[in-house]
Amino acid sequence: MAGLRRRLVKRRIRIRRTRGRRLRRALVVLLALLTNLVGAAVVAYHLTKIPEPHPETAMQSTVFVDDHGDYLGRRGPVDRQEIPLSQVPRYVQEAVIAAENRSFRTDTGISPKAIARAAWSTVSGGGRQGGSTITQQYVKNALLSPQQSLSRKAREALISIKLDRTRSKDEILQGYLNTVYFGRGAAGIQSAARNYFGVDAKDLTVSQGAALASVINIPSYYEKAGSDPKVTAKLVDRWEWVLDAMAHSGAITSAQRAGARFPAFRFYPPGDTDGQRQYLIDAAASEAADRLGITEDQLARGGYTVRTTFDLTAQDATAELAADGTEKKTGEKTAEEKTAEEKAGGKKRAEVKTTGDVRVHTAVVALVPGDGAVRVLYGGADYASQPFNDARDGAVEAGTALQPFSGMKLLAPLTDLTRTAAPTPLRLASAYATAAAHGVYATPYTVAKITRAGRTLYEAHPRTRTAMTRADAGMVAKLLYGRLDAPLATQTGAAGLRTLWQTTYDEHLTLTVALFAEHPAKGKKAALPAPLPYTAGSRSLSVSEGVWSKIAGTAEGHDPAAEPNPGLPTGQTKPILATR
């Protein structure tokens, strides 16, 4: 026992004597390991290059708006338009920071806690973890793949740090706001503002900005806000949370916080817009590409904003007025039809009977004399079933519609007008607009301005030339006005019972309505011309008067802001995209 005790004492003494040496060795190993790790990190940092955004995030769509700035539609592979940060209100920027990364202005581009949590979740087989900084989200969404792995997460962190050290916070925030997904197919703040509220990003209110910032968290869920009460209620809670944070940080005042009201969202999913607007976009896209010297495909991917000459309110009114009787049986007469007799080719339309279905085509053109800006271009009832534009490209038998120009010496581009058996409605309207402008022909155009990222690339200027003498233009006016005190010049023409034309003009507007009918194609049987139905005359007059009143504002008690809009939340009447 005594010997064992002595051995234990000696061992303890030896351990005490060598403890310091062992601790020093362990410390050296640990320092070497840390040095190697730091060295590897430094080498990895210097070797890491900030990649270019992948192609999907570089793609943009081109947006088309009407003459008042109201949204017509877009063309392109993705619903995204890039805008400078200066076009995003400061309170919208702060709303996104409050919702996604409150330390964004001061952090180094990464959140160590979030990285550690995500790494542990990956190793342990847990679910996906959030909490990344705005810089990390931008790197992940725009520069890297969405793959969830430790190596990708480490690369994300390195790129985020390097991005934070080499770019300003505003540059990073701009890239993030232009690429982050907001739901409803919208990538970027500009498309999101339009899809959710029908405005440009620069026009977002505090409440709207906070709502969009709240959507980023789970866009596929929150995109239904405004149409799904449960989703809306949850988004309201998050919206309140974002606004509270903004008020606490001083991004908004206490008065702004107290006055904030949850904004009305556009209905989702949206309705079919192919009916009319695609006719307008087709015409404007072709012209815009030509003006820029690029293809229509390049235009669609270029992120342009094309401001057209169209009046969307008048275009929609035209569609409603023309929709009545688009396809109707003509074997029986109604009381209304019996009172709508129109003479054509020596016969009354009411005396003509046909059998089977007759489809009435209506083409409407409204343009500005002496300028050429096209306000209305109604080329068919539904683009999805008839993409061909009757107003721009359709050859409609003229008949007596061109009689006022007979015997005149017309100059280019109207030289052969009176020899044209079937002009397009656009060309005929241009001829009467020339008379309205005292002989000055203005080339019709549909694109007023093209911009990209705030820069104007093209702006239209009227292209005019003399196409008839002032005296001849006066003769047309004298013939059409009929009497000196008539407010408008009106010409009604026809080609037998097959077509009906009506043109109305003054010095400010020219409006042409053309109607023709056909028996629709069935199977292998081609479409055949048909006599117009009994109501063609009254219908032409109704369309002409209705469209004229919409553009000229002559309708009694007309107030566009009071008209119902099916795309608006219940109780909201102001046109959702109006910027007047």
Side-chain angles (χ1 to χ4, degrees), residues 32-50:
L33 180 60
L34 289 174
T35 301
N36 288 335
L37 288 174
V38 170
V42 170
V43 171
Y45 174 82
H46 286 291
L47 291 177
T48 297
K49 294 182 179 180
I50 299 174

Side-chain angles (χ1 to χ4, degrees), residues 97 101-107 133-135 164 168-170 172-173:
I97 290 171
N101 177 198
R102 295 179 185 180
S103 65
F104 171 72
R105 299 286 184 191
T106 57
D107 65 33
T133 65
I134 282 176
T135 307
D164 187 79
S168 70
K169 289 291 187 180
D170 280 354
I172 295 170
L173 185 60

Side-chain angles (χ1 to χ4, degrees), residues 180-235:
V180 66
Y181 184 62
F182 284 88
R184 298 195 175 190
I189 189 72
Q190 175 74 340
S191 294
R194 283 190 171 133
N195 285 7
Y196 281 89
F197 302 114
V199 300
D200 288 328
K202 62 183 176 61
D203 298 318
L204 287 168
T205 65
V206 170
S207 293
Q208 291 170 337
L212 288 181
S214 302
V215 166
I216 296 173
N217 181 244
I218 319 175
S220 60
Y221 177 76
Y222 288 131
E223 68 182 3
K224 302 178 186 68
S227 56
D228 186 317
K230 183 178 178 181
V231 173
T232 304
K234 287 191 175 183
L235 185 60

Side-chain angles (χ1 to χ4, degrees), residues 353-576:
K353 294 184 179 181
T354 61
T355 58
D357 290 334
V358 171
R359 176 171 294 162
V360 177
H361 289 253
T362 304
V364 183
V365 177
L367 47 79
V368 180
D371 181 276
V374 179
R375 299 298 185 215
V376 171
L377 191 66
Y378 179 87
D382 182 19
Y383 184 89
S385 59
Q386 181 197 302
F388 182 82
N389 191 322
D390 286 329
R392 186 178 66 158
D393 305 311
V396 183
E397 194 174 0
T400 60
L402 294 173
Q403 277 186 349
F405 300 103
S406 298
M408 290 185 181
K409 183 180 180 181
L410 300 176
L411 304 177
L414 301 180
T415 307
D416 63 344
L417 178 68
T418 55
R419 297 192 298 274
T420 304
T424 67
L426 180 59
R427 189 175 189 213
L428 188 136
S430 299
Y432 279 100
T434 302
H438 311 293
V440 176
Y441 176 88
T443 303
Y445 67 96
T446 64
V447 175
K449 191 176 183 180
I450 306 173
T451 59
R452 182 168 61 177
R455 289 196 315 114
T456 299
L457 304 178
Y458 169 80
E459 194 160 9
H461 299 284
R463 292 185 291 171
T464 61
R465 62 184 302 170
T466 299
M468 67 177 69
T469 66
R470 193 177 184 90
D472 282 344
M475 288 295 294
V476 175
K478 184 177 181 180
L479 179 64
L480 269 59
Y481 275 101
R483 63 181 192 277
L484 294 177
D485 60 344
L488 301 173
T490 303
Q491 158 68 8
T492 300
L497 300 172
R498 299 178 297 278
T499 68
L500 181 63
W501 294 84
Q502 181 164 314
T503 296
T504 304
Y505 75 73
D506 64 11
E507 290 187 346
H508 307 289
L509 184 69
T510 297
L511 175 65
T512 293
V513 179
L515 277 72
F516 65 97
E518 67 176 9
H519 295 293
K522 291 184 178 179
K524 296 182 179 180
K525 188 177 180 181
L528 296 173
L532 285 165
Y534 310 107
T535 54
S538 60
R539 179 181 175 191
S540 175
L541 184 63
S542 173
V543 172
S544 182
E545 289 181 346
V547 175
W548 187 279
S549 69
K550 283 290 182 181
I551 299 177
T554 57
E556 292 185 9
H558 171 61
D559 181 8
E563 294 182 349
N565 187 320
L568 293 174
T570 303
Q572 187 174 340
T573 57
K574 186 174 177 59
I576 198 160

Side-chain angles (χ1 to χ4, degrees), residues 251-338:
I252 58 175
T253 65
S254 56
Q256 286 177 305
R257 175 64 188 95
R261 297 292 181 271
F262 190 72
F265 279 37
R266 296 183 70 187
F267 183 79
Y268 185 80
D272 182 13
T273 60
D274 277 348
Q276 276 303 305
R277 299 187 181 189
Q278 293 302 325
Y279 288 115
L280 307 183
I281 293 173
D282 269 1
S286 175
E287 185 175 324
D290 182 65
R291 294 293 177 264
L292 294 176
I294 59 178
T295 66
E296 288 192 45
D297 184 61
Q298 289 172 321
L299 178 80
R301 296 170 181 268
Y304 301 94
T305 295
V306 178
R307 192 180 192 96
T308 69
T309 61
F310 303 123
D311 184 326
L312 187 55
T313 301
Q315 183 77 23
D316 289 345
T318 304
E320 291 180 16
L321 291 165
D324 296 332
T326 296
E327 194 169 335
K328 112 184 238 88
K329 286 269 189 180
T330 58
E332 299 178 1
K333 291 189 294 182
T334 65
E336 178 187 1
E337 290 171 337
K338 291 177 182 178

Side-chain angles (χ1 to χ4, degrees), residues 24-35:
R24 286 192 296 271
R25 288 177 180 174
L27 184 59
V28 169
V29 172
L30 180 60
L31 287 174
L33 180 60
L34 289 174
T35 301

